[in-house]
Amino acid sequence: MRIVLGIESSCDETAAAIVREDGHVLAHALASQFDDHAAYGGVVPEIAARAHLQALHHVLGECVNGAGVTLQDVDAIAATTGPGLIGGVMVGAMAAKAMALSLNKPFISINHLEAHALVVRQSDPVAFPYLLLLVSGGHCQIILVANIGDYRVLGRTRDDALGEAFDKCAKMMGLGYPGGPAIEQAAKSGDAHAIAFPRPFMGTVHADFSFSGLKTAVRHHIETLTKQAPLRDADIANIAASFQRAAIESVEDRLKQALHALGGNVPQTLVVAGGVAANQALRTRLSALCERHAMRFAVAPPALCTDNGVMIAWAGMERLRLGIHDALDAEIRARWPLEGMQAA
Ligand code: KG4
Ligand code: ZN
C-alpha cells in the first residue's frame, strides 16, 4: 500500500503526518503557536512564519521517527501551497519540495481548503457528490463537492468567517485565543436564550453568510453591561451561549437555503469540515437537520477538523491515487479559491 507524507504550515499550526492508502495514520506530529499569538488575540503573520521555521525540523523528526518506516518508503511528499499566510506556506512547501527533490519522489501541491474538504474520507468512505459546510478561521462556505478538484460554491460569507466571529467575540469577552473552543466551553454553563442576538440573513433566499451584525450586537451588549460593572463569569457564559446559538441557527438556516436551491439534486451526505466543525453544539444541530432531510451526516474526528498534517497527507493520497502530482516549481499562493481548481 502506498504512503504519503504531508506538511501543513499555512496558519498557526506546524504539522506533519504519514498516512497509508487505507487511511491508517502511521505517525503525526503538531506544534501549535497559540502562546506566540495569544497576546495579540489573533495570528500575526511574521511571528507565524518564524515559528514554523523553528518548529518544522522537530515536527518532521518526530513524525518520521514515530512512523516505523523510512523516508525512502514514502511514495510522495505533499504540502499546503495555499491559501494561507504566505510566509508560513513558503516554509512548509519549500521543505516538502526539497525533500521530494533529494529523495527523488513526487511532490504534491495541496490546497488547504481541499484538504479540509476531503479529510472526512480518511476514516469514512463518503461518496461524491456531497454537500460540504466548510467553516474555519478564514473560510465560511457551502460547497457541492462533485469530485476531487471539482467544487461548486453555493454560498459564502460576505464579511467574517464563522471561526473569525468566534475568535473576535471571544476576544471581546476576555476569553483566550483561539476563541472557538473557549466560547464552546464558556457556553456550557450559560443560558442560550438569555440574550436575543440577531441571526443574519435569516430566511433570505440565497445561501450566503454574514456575521458582522451578530458581532456588533455582541459588542454593544458587552459595552452596555460594562458601563455598570466588569463582566461576571455568569455574563460571559450567557453571552457565549447566546452568541453560539445565534451563529449556529444562522448556519443551519443558510444550509436549508442551499438544500432548497439544489431542489431534487440534494446529495446523500452533508459533511462539515474546518476548525469550527470541532464544535459539538454545531455537530448536534446539523446532525438533527440531516435526519429531517434524510441525509447522512459525516464529520471528521475533532482533532482532524482543526489544522493538522493528516488532512494534507490524505489529500496528497487522494491525488496520488489519481496519478496527479506537481512540478517542483508549483506556485505558492496566498489566495486560492476552491472553484479555481482543476477537476481531476
Ligand atoms: O481550520 P482551522 O484550524 O484554521 C483555519 O484554517 O482557519 O480553524 C480555526 C478556527 C478558529 O477560528 C477557531 O476558533 C475555530 O476554528 N474553532 C472552533 C472550535 N475549535 C476551533 N470554533 C468553535 N468551536 C470549536 N470547538
Ligand atoms: Zn484550516
Side-chain angles (χ1 to χ4, degrees), residues 112 116 136 307 311:
H112 180 90
H116 274 303
S136 71
D307 291 348
M311 69 186 209

Side-chain angles (χ1 to χ4, degrees), residues 10-13 112-113 116 135-139 162-164 166-167 177-182 184 244 274-280 305-307 311:
S10 67
C11 191
D12 56 353
E13 325 268 4
H112 180 90
L113 303 175
H116 274 303
V135 277
S136 71
H139 299 273
L162 182 56
E164 193 179 357
F166 269 90
D167 292 335
Y177 173 83
E184 180 169 26
Q244 183 171 269
V276 190
N279 186 289
Q280 192 53 53
C305 289
T306 49
D307 291 348
M311 69 186 209

Side-chain angles (χ1 to χ4, degrees), residues 51-181:
H52 285 302
L53 200 55
Q54 213 168 28
L56 187 58
H57 174 74
H58 300 286
V59 166
L60 272 172
E62 191 186 329
C63 178
V64 174
N65 291 335
V69 293
T70 69
L71 279 177
Q72 283 305 336
D73 300 323
V74 169
D75 293 285
I77 313 281
T80 301
T81 50
L85 302 173
I86 201 73
V89 175
M90 276 194 220
V91 172
M94 288 313 295
K97 287 179 176 188
M99 286 171 79
L101 179 67
S102 63
L103 293 164
N104 197 24
K105 307 276 181 181
F107 167 72
I108 307 179
S109 164
I110 300 296
N111 180 311
H112 180 90
L113 303 175
E114 176 172 70
H116 274 303
L118 296 177
V119 69
V120 68
R121 285 163 46 92
Q122 174 258 342
S123 54
D124 177 346
V126 179
F128 300 118
Y130 54 85
L131 190 65
L132 172 73
L133 170 71
L134 178 58
V135 277
S136 71
H139 299 273
C140 189
Q141 297 176 342
I142 299 172
I143 298 161
L144 187 67
V145 179
N147 208 332
I148 292 158
D150 190 353
Y151 307 99
R152 195 177 127 211
V153 177
L154 304 175
R156 55 164 55 85
T157 185
R158 298 195 185 171
D159 40 59
D160 290 346
L162 182 56
E164 193 179 357
F166 269 90
D167 292 335
K168 286 179 177 168
C169 289
K171 193 176 174 186
M172 291 179 218
M173 285 180 240
L175 297 173
Y177 173 83

Side-chain angles (χ1 to χ4, degrees), residues 10-340:
S10 67
C11 191
D12 56 353
E13 325 268 4
T14 316
I18 300 180
V19 171
R20 205 166 61 192
E21 201 163 355
D22 62 357
H24 181 70
V25 178
L26 274 68
H28 66 99
L30 183 145
S32 287
Q33 305 174 5
F34 293 157
D35 297 343
D36 300 313
H37 303 287
Y40 306 94
V43 180
V44 184
E46 174 75 20
I47 294 176
R50 287 170 189 271
H52 285 302
L53 200 55
Q54 213 168 28
L56 187 58
H57 174 74
H58 300 286
V59 166
L60 272 172
E62 191 186 329
C63 178
V64 174
N65 291 335
V69 293
T70 69
L71 279 177
Q72 283 305 336
D73 300 323
V74 169
D75 293 285
I77 313 281
T80 301
T81 50
L85 302 173
I86 201 73
V89 175
M90 276 194 220
V91 172
M94 288 313 295
K97 287 179 176 188
M99 286 171 79
L101 179 67
S102 63
L103 293 164
N104 197 24
K105 307 276 181 181
F107 167 72
I108 307 179
S109 164
I110 300 296
N111 180 311
H112 180 90
L113 303 175
E114 176 172 70
H116 274 303
L118 296 177
V119 69
V120 68
R121 285 163 46 92
Q122 174 258 342
S123 54
D124 177 346
V126 179
F128 300 118
Y130 54 85
L131 190 65
L132 172 73
L133 170 71
L134 178 58
V135 277
S136 71
H139 299 273
C140 189
Q141 297 176 342
I142 299 172
I143 298 161
L144 187 67
V145 179
N147 208 332
I148 292 158
D150 190 353
Y151 307 99
R152 195 177 127 211
V153 177
L154 304 175
R156 55 164 55 85
T157 185
R158 298 195 185 171
D159 40 59
D160 290 346
L162 182 56
E164 193 179 357
F166 269 90
D167 292 335
K168 286 179 177 168
C169 289
K171 193 176 174 186
M172 291 179 218
M173 285 180 240
L175 297 173
Y177 173 83
I183 288 193
E184 180 169 26
Q185 189 54 37
K188 286 186 181 145
S189 50
D191 174 6
H193 296 269
I195 310 148
F197 288 133
R199 283 135 183 76
F201 288 155
M202 196 78 166
T204 48
V205 289
H206 58 75
D208 283 352
F209 301 84
S210 165
F211 294 106
S212 66
L214 172 57
K215 190 181 65 187
T216 306
V218 170
R219 179 181 302 115
H220 285 160
H221 185 80
I222 293 173
E223 280 168 4
T224 309
L225 284 184
T226 49
K227 269 186 200 141
Q228 333 277 330
L231 287 182
R232 298 168 305 147
D233 285 352
D235 296 324
I236 293 174
N238 284 343
I239 299 167
S242 302
F243 160 79
Q244 183 171 269
R245 174 165 164 256
I248 291 175
E249 285 184 5
S250 173
V251 168
E252 185 187 25
D253 177 63
R254 306 293 75 214
L255 274 170
K256 281 187 197 159
Q257 294 300 334
L259 290 173
H260 186 71
L262 287 169
N265 294 320
V266 172
Q268 281 176 358
T269 312
L270 171 70
V271 172
V272 187
V276 190
N279 186 289
Q280 192 53 53
L282 178 72
R283 287 169 175 242
T284 306
R285 186 86 184 206
L286 296 186
S287 159
L289 174 76
C290 282
E291 252 175 57
R292 291 199 297 279
H293 285 80
M295 291 176 84
R296 196 159 83 79
F297 179 67
V299 61
L304 298 186
C305 289
T306 49
D307 291 348
N308 63 85
V310 173
M311 69 186 209
I312 307 305
W314 179 253
M317 181 60 78
E318 295 261 23
R319 296 193 149 251
L320 185 69
R321 284 200 299 211
L322 297 173
I324 307 170
H325 50 84
D326 298 274
L328 284 178
D329 63 357
E331 214 182 318
I332 286 167
R333 315 171 213 215
R335 270 185 52 74
W336 190 4
L338 276 178
E339 275 174 311

Side-chain angles (χ1 to χ4, degrees), residues 2-13:
R2 285 172 285 197
I3 55 176
V4 172
L5 183 147
I7 300 177
E8 158 61 26
S9 64
S10 67
C11 191
D12 56 353
E13 325 268 4

